[in-house]
Amino acid sequence: MPTASAPSVLRQMLRPAPNAVSGAAVTDARAWRMSLPRASEQAAGLVAAVSGLEMTETDLDGVLANWDMFALSMGLAGPAAARGLVLADAELRAGLIEVQTLGRVLRQAAELRPATAVDAAMVGHVVDAWIAGFEAAVGADHGGWRSGEPIGDVRAAKMAVDDGEYRVLDLVISLGDGARTGRLQLVTPFGAAVAAAETPPRDPREAFEHVEAELHAVLYRKTVPLRWLSDLEPGVLLEIPAEALAAVELEDTDGRFVRFARLGKSQGQRALRLVEGSPERPAPTHTVGGIAASHPVPSAAVSEHVAAPTSMADLPAIDGLPPLDVTISD
């Protein structure tokens, strides 16, 4: 059941009715039937009536199981940072837009197309008027539930709301004296989903404290003929210039440059220290017929104005070291 710490008119409205319909549930249904016509007239000059009302309980997967790609889906923001969904089918969306643009509701099938931000703006304010009218009709304090930004697909919906249990108010609404019949669903959380919404927000930086980030350290690049590469075997030595140790390139898993670093030691282990600026990067070599020729580095990350490296307190200086030989082994 909903927690007392976050009162919500919609949560009262969506409370389950065991077997027989309780008096409170009848009052809620009557409140919708009384308030919606008046709110429709005031918000959009629309003649509308509730012709059907059903309340169900399900989890988030159940809410999203029959996702309608042609319906208008919006967020539903409530008290204590609670989040839900508004789902308006194509017929309801079309009727609300027609009455505001043409002055009447057309008697023809709605166009099946993805919803837009303009649709959300024109439909959202009417839905908000319906919710406010219901709240006034039941005589309770306003819960503050209001429609929000449009939601494009199931993936976006899963990001917009929390996992947990939800109550779904399914309204069948007659528009324009029966010219159209549309469907509106108001999805609100309860139980664990409400508790999650009531939890004070944490510093967003905490979410990244234990995230693993994979980086690749590129010490040096050398271009060689394919025949030379195919002849590699254990014991072959690759010569790497000493200046490469002070201009190691850090890349992400897609090969995008992140920052320069300097190779050294820390507590007896090989280590990298990030450096400011763009150190001089040794020119890669291209071996042609056994003769090595140097090429400038075609990288925008290398600048003619090189910043001095930061002090190496726990990484000993490595200037003056002889070329580093790397042995290729099994």
Side-chain angles (χ1 to χ4, degrees), residues 206-226:
E206 295 180 8
F208 297 95
E209 288 183 351
H210 303 290
V211 175
E212 294 185 1
E214 182 179 343
L215 294 176
H216 296 166
V218 180
L219 181 60
Y220 184 61
R221 284 188 170 91
K222 181 182 180 73
T223 304
V224 297
L226 180 60

Side-chain angles (χ1 to χ4, degrees), residues 6-328:
S8 166
V9 172
L10 284 187
R11 265 180 265 152
Q12 296 173 10
M13 171 195 65
L14 295 176
R15 56 183 172 269
N19 299 326
V21 178
S22 67
V26 172
T27 300
D28 293 339
R30 184 182 297 117
W32 275 109
R33 291 189 168 93
M34 291 175 55
S35 63
L36 189 138
R38 185 181 306 109
S40 300
E41 177 64 33
Q42 293 175 348
L46 170 67
V47 176
V50 175
S51 58
L53 183 150
E54 182 180 4
M55 293 176 283
T56 58
E57 295 183 2
T58 184
D59 57 13
L60 182 58
D61 290 337
V63 172
L64 304 179
N66 299 312
W67 186 265
D68 184 355
M69 62 181 297
F70 299 116
L72 168 62
S73 305
M74 298 179 290
L76 185 63
R83 298 180 297 178
L85 296 172
V86 175
L87 307 172
D89 72 357
E91 293 293 337
L92 182 63
R93 178 187 67 187
L96 292 179
I97 292 175
E98 287 166 358
V99 75
Q100 295 177 78
T101 56
L102 305 177
R104 62 189 179 94
V105 179
L106 303 181
R107 294 180 179 273
Q108 62 186 45
E111 178 185 1
L112 296 181
R113 59 173 178 79
T116 67
V118 174
D119 297 334
M122 299 187 71
V123 173
H125 81 95
V126 180
V127 172
D128 290 344
W130 288 343
I131 296 175
F134 167 79
E135 293 173 344
V138 295
D141 293 335
H142 286 195
W145 290 93
R146 294 296 179 265
S147 61
E149 296 296 321
I151 297 173
D153 53 29
V154 173
R155 179 179 299 180
K158 288 183 177 180
M159 296 179 64
V161 296
D162 299 310
D163 287 330
E165 298 173 289
Y166 285 84
R167 288 177 178 157
V168 182
L169 171 67
D170 197 335
L171 292 169
V172 180
I173 302 174
S174 174
L175 306 174
D177 284 329
R180 285 189 189 276
T181 299
R183 181 183 178 193
L184 175 71
Q185 291 181 303
L186 300 177
V187 182
T188 56
F190 74 102
V194 171
E198 293 170 355
T199 302
R202 298 185 303 173
D203 187 332
R205 293 174 294 184
E206 295 180 8
F208 297 95
E209 288 183 351
H210 303 290
V211 175
E212 294 185 1
E214 182 179 343
L215 294 176
H216 296 166
V218 180
L219 181 60
Y220 184 61
R221 284 188 170 91
K222 181 182 180 73
T223 304
V224 297
L226 180 60
R227 183 178 61 183
W228 183 90
L229 185 63
S230 64
D231 291 339
L232 283 179
E233 58 184 17
V236 174
L237 299 180
L238 297 178
E239 186 177 275
I240 298 177
E243 56 266 30
L245 305 182
V248 179
E249 289 186 2
L250 290 181
E251 297 179 348
D252 62 17
T253 54
D254 294 325
R256 290 187 291 263
F257 172 81
V258 177
R259 194 167 176 180
F260 282 107
R262 179 172 180 165
L263 183 65
K265 287 184 178 181
S266 178
Q267 300 179 353
Q269 302 291 325
R270 290 287 185 184
L272 292 173
R273 164 160 289 181
L274 301 181
V275 299
E276 299 292 339
S278 303
E280 288 289 357
R281 185 76 168 150
T285 60
H286 179 72
T287 305
V288 181
I291 302 175
S294 296
H295 298 276
V297 179
S299 172
V302 179
S303 170
E304 296 180 357
H305 304 285
V306 181
T310 57
S311 72
M312 304 289 287
D314 56 342
L315 278 80
I318 56 177
D319 294 335
L321 290 179
L324 176 66
D325 292 332
V326 178
T327 301
I328 300 177

